Amino acid sequence: MVLTKKNYSYMTEITKTVEWCALKDHFEKMKSTHMRDLFSDDSKRFEKNHILFDDLLFDFSKNRITEETKKLLISLAKTADIENWRKRLFSGDKINFTENRSALHIALRNRSNDPIMVDGKDVMPLVNAELSKIKKLSKDVRSGSWKGYSGEKITSIVNIGIGGSDLGPSMVCEALKPFGSKEITPHFVSNVDAADLSQVLDVCDPETTLFIIASKTFTTQETMTNAFSARDWFINKAKKNEFIKKHFVAISSNSDAVIEFGIHPENIFVLWDWVGGRYSLWSSIGLSIAIFIGMKNFEELLEGGHEADNHFIAEPMEKNIPIMMALIGVWYINFFDFSSYAILPYDQCLTKLPAYLQQADMESNGKFIGRDNKRVCLKTGPILWGEAGTNGQHAFYQLLHQGTEIVPCDFVMPVNSNYSLEDDKNKHHQILQANFIAQTQSLMTGKSVIDVQNEMRDVIKNDQTLRRLVSHRMFEGNRPSNSILFKSLTPRSLGRLVALYEHKIFTQGIIWNINSFDQWGVEYGKQIAKLVLPELESKKDTKAFDSSTNNLINYINNTA
Ligand code: F6P
């Protein structure tokens, strides 16, 4: 049965709606359409396929879409009830139903301060109180009025956390290094591998180091192991437990566990169950950001996020960046069957953006169970990866240009760099920009056999050799990309960018009818690790698991 809006109640059945069927028919026409032709047939293609949001330009014209595609995709979004879900997200509805929680990261950057209710209570006073605490600590540490146990100023901050309690702050501190304090060095320790913590401790002085233990649950094995080791290292040097107060703060929703760890109650920064880990950089999890770039800049980051929220709420679908990004993604994943998705920032400072978005997207939408508790009948989240340009060009772009897998890409670049070499006569930034443009262009147009022949004819005279080499040197093109440009990388522009991606992820989750805010898949791995650990501690051969797992454990036990 083809479902219409009226009789369509289970979102997992979206593939049976008239809108989906229309897209399927349309795909049959589009699958062999070349973007080269779409551009040559319409001189206004760029005008029709870009969105300007303040100084941010989202150019989506280099995609395998027409006006008809957009119309059909927007109808699909309406059928999926995006507008209503968006309202539910912003009004604090418990849309994370498997954990009975709201997903209210938007409250953390709600600069309008309009009330947002959870269980009948406005959360804004809580958010504001926490922001005041962040402001005070960041000010004290930056000004030097917060002193270590020997009376020295803090010069190193070490954020110990993992996943959302690490990736956001470390990505932002890297991106906004030019805005950072010259006197305070931020470090991020996430991996339970002792190499991670050891390398940081090697360059830190206990007298001038502030540890920030960032863990919403305060039970995460990796974080707690690193936190205990950091505390041991500190006590070993400082000698007195009472000095912990000057050198350890925590961000957690589990105050009891923090106090038990030995952190003074005054040094606890809270977050709430309605803040998901991968959406938490806007919360007190951003403490390291606020200390490094200062509260004013941290607030600018929040402002940028808030502006993107307003854009997402107010703009009609065809002018709405997250919605168009999401729909184009659905078009590729579900109709073209392109499973992969690359984030390619052309700015060295955004080098951690792909890893950050990898968690945001894959932990949110890597799900096969729908909101109706049934297995979804379509592909969900993309495999997201990437690398800063131009490094990626000399590594995996070969596959982007000529591989059998087509990978839709987002090219991201600030027009102005925050770095300049004195009298940059070697034109670093222009070369970077030229490469950005060249890649988006060549992926789209490709290079025809004729063009290759003409190019080679002067060099290779032998016709047989020429024929043999042409196929290796031709490019089919028709490889899609979005280009995202903005004036400069600032706290505000970064806040906008990150929040736009968050809403893109949310929109796709709604279309696929999944809960983007839980992460049971990660929990399962944690559970099994707890069963394996005693087997390794026992140092004895095990028969507890399957033969591969047993033998891996036994190999480790016998080889150590
Ligand atoms: O990786 C799974 C996860 O639950 C993430 O969602 C979260 O960001 C991370 O672990 C860290 O959790 P916590 O902040 O509770 O230590």
Side-chain angles (χ1 to χ4, degrees), residues 128-145:
N128 294 330
E130 222 41 41
L131 281 172
S132 302
K133 272 189 79 179
I134 296 173
K135 186 174 184 173
K136 175 154 180 19
L137 184 80
S138 60
K139 202 166 149 230
D140 289 352
V141 172
R142 286 170 68 87
S143 68
S145 66

Side-chain angles (χ1 to χ4, degrees), residues 111 130-136 138-139 142 289-302:
R111 310 303 287 167
E130 222 41 41
L131 281 172
S132 302
K133 272 189 79 179
I134 296 173
K135 186 174 184 173
K136 175 154 180 19
S138 60
K139 202 166 149 230
R142 286 170 68 87
I289 305 173
I291 295 175
F292 184 49
I293 66 174
M295 192 62 189
K296 221 171 150 280
N297 281 322
F298 184 64
E299 283 169 350
E300 281 283 303
L301 182 83
L302 302 181

Side-chain angles (χ1 to χ4, degrees), residues 276-520:
R278 54 194 173 275
Y279 298 93
S280 66
L281 73 82
W282 322 94
S283 72
S284 48
I285 289 289
L287 182 61
S288 51
I289 305 173
I291 295 175
F292 184 49
I293 66 174
M295 192 62 189
K296 221 171 150 280
N297 281 322
F298 184 64
E299 283 169 350
E300 281 283 303
L301 182 83
L302 302 181
E303 292 283 352
H306 183 59
E307 284 172 6
D309 295 340
N310 289 338
H311 169 95
F312 180 52
I313 295 172
E315 291 300 328
M317 292 205 189
E318 65 281 6
K319 294 262 163 251
N320 196 306
I321 296 174
I323 291 183
M324 289 315 294
M325 275 177 119
L327 292 174
I328 292 167
V330 166
W331 178 231
Y332 290 137
I333 294 166
N334 298 119
F335 295 89
F336 283 84
D337 202 25
F338 301 157
S339 309
S340 190
Y341 170 38
I343 303 288
L344 308 168
Y346 276 65
D347 189 303
Q348 189 60 22
C349 292
L350 288 176
T351 209
K352 292 186 174 178
L353 185 69
Y356 173 77
L357 291 177
Q358 190 171 63
Q359 188 207 16
D361 208 321
M362 293 173 80
E363 204 168 86
S364 296
N365 287 344
K367 319 256 161 91
F368 62 68
I369 294 295
R371 287 183 175 272
D372 58 355
N373 314 316
K374 292 186 201 154
R375 197 178 174 109
V376 296
C377 54
L378 75 185
K379 238 188 207 178
T380 60
I383 300 156
L384 190 155
W385 54 287
E387 166 71 59
T390 58
N391 294 1
Q393 289 176 210
H394 296 271
F396 54 79
Y397 279 42
Q398 164 61 37
L399 185 147
L400 299 185
H401 283 283
Q402 288 188 312
T404 49
E405 192 68 42
I406 294 190
V407 184
C409 305
D410 283 0
F411 286 84
V412 180
M413 184 172 73
V415 173
N416 300 299
S417 172
N418 283 331
Y419 289 87
S420 65
L421 293 168
E422 208 172 295
D423 174 27
D424 186 8
K425 59 178 185 307
N426 294 320
K427 301 189 173 147
H428 286 253
H429 200 59
Q430 271 171 15
I431 294 173
L432 186 70
Q433 291 173 335
N435 276 282
F436 173 105
I437 304 284
Q439 290 300 330
T440 69
Q441 207 264 346
S442 53
L443 283 166
M444 186 274 282
T445 52
K447 196 196 269 183
S448 69
V449 170
I450 307 217
D451 286 348
V452 180
Q453 276 170 345
N454 290 341
E455 231 178 58
M456 291 170 72
R457 195 150 275 136
D458 290 343
V459 192
I460 299 171
K461 303 288 178 207
N462 179 316
D463 269 2
Q464 216 187 338
T465 314
L466 188 72
R467 266 199 303 279
R468 199 161 37 83
L469 291 180
V470 157
S471 51
H472 293 272
R473 298 204 185 188
M474 64 82 73
F475 297 82
E476 288 169 349
N478 216 14
R479 299 188 174 222
S481 67
N482 293 315
S483 294
I484 302 173
L485 292 169
F486 44 93
K487 200 168 171 205
S488 317
L489 185 57
T490 62
R492 189 177 284 254
S493 67
L494 183 63
R496 274 187 205 143
L497 185 71
V498 171
L500 290 175
Y501 273 107
E502 284 179 354
H503 294 316
K504 173 239 151 198
I505 293 164
F506 168 76
T507 304
Q508 290 186 329
I510 297 307
I511 292 173
W512 292 322
N513 190 32
I514 51 179
N515 176 7
S516 299
F517 299 105
D518 60 10
Q519 58 284 318
W520 298 106

Side-chain angles (χ1 to χ4, degrees), residues 84-99:
N84 184 38
W85 278 101
R86 192 173 51 187
K87 255 189 230 139
R88 294 184 65 186
L89 171 79
F90 278 81
S91 61
D93 260 21
K94 298 202 172 170
I95 57 175
N96 176 3
F97 72 100
T98 60
E99 296 179 299

Side-chain angles (χ1 to χ4, degrees), residues 61-74:
S61 58
K62 291 192 183 93
N63 280 295
R64 292 166 73 168
I65 56 170
T66 59
E67 291 304 296
E68 177 71 359
T69 324
K70 283 194 284 182
K71 205 177 90 204
L72 294 173
L73 285 169
I74 288 171

Side-chain angles (χ1 to χ4, degrees), residues 162-165 214-220 223 277-278 285 359 363 519 522-523 526:
I162 196 164
S165 301
S215 176
K216 185 173 158 187
T217 54
F218 225 73
T219 56
T220 303
T223 301
R278 54 194 173 275
I285 289 289
Q359 188 207 16
E363 204 168 86
Q519 58 284 318
V522 185
E523 302 308 324
K526 291 185 194 171

